[in-house]
């Protein structure tokens, strides 16, 4: 629709907002996470959705919530499969992965 590019843009800006409430050492960890640590980390999309929804941006909140879903259903937080995942959430996931691969992140170097 005519509004989707703007929704994608805003969701891209705030997609990791839910990580603000996580322990710093968990977000920046370079070691293998325990099962409990992974469970805590996997809550960040739902937390981001709550923050965005608090600002009455429900369409953006839905995109943020489902950005970590995987097409095969192994993602989180709701284990959606395939086209159950909103298109804009899939776009945010791809652009975030590209950004991490090319620019790096606190726990991983970028590559050319």
């Amino acid at each position: 629709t005519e509004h989707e590019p703007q929704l994608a843009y805003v969701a891209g800006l705030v997609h990791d907002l839910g990580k603000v409430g996580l322990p710093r050492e968990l977000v920046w960890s370079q070691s293998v996470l325990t099962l409990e640590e992974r469970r805590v980390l996997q809550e960040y999309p739902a937390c981001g959705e709550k923050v965005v929804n608090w600002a009455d941006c429900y369409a953006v909140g839905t995109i943020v919530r489902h950005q970590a879903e995987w097409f095969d259903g192994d993602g989180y937080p709701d284990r959606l499969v395939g086209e159950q995942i909103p298109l804009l959430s899939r776009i945010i996931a791809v652009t975030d992965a590209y950004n991490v691969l090319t620019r790096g992140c606190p726990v991983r170097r970028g590559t050319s």
Side-chain angles (χ1 to χ4, degrees), residues 32-72:
V32 176
L33 299 177
T34 67
L35 181 59
E36 182 57 31
E37 288 171 329
R38 278 188 307 213
R39 285 185 182 142
V40 170
L41 183 65
Q42 290 176 352
E43 290 297 316
Y44 88 87
C47 292
E49 176 194 33
K50 288 177 186 174
V51 171
V52 172
N53 284 350
W54 180 79
D56 289 334
C57 296
Y58 299 103
V60 173
T62 298
I63 298 165
V64 169
R65 179 180 183 87
H66 297 299
Q67 58 153 324
E69 302 287 359
W70 291 10
F71 216 69
D72 66 1

Side-chain angles (χ1 to χ4, degrees), residues 77-88:
D78 299 319
R79 301 185 67 81
L80 299 181
V81 176
E83 293 187 11
Q84 291 177 330
I85 306 165
L87 176 62
L88 297 181

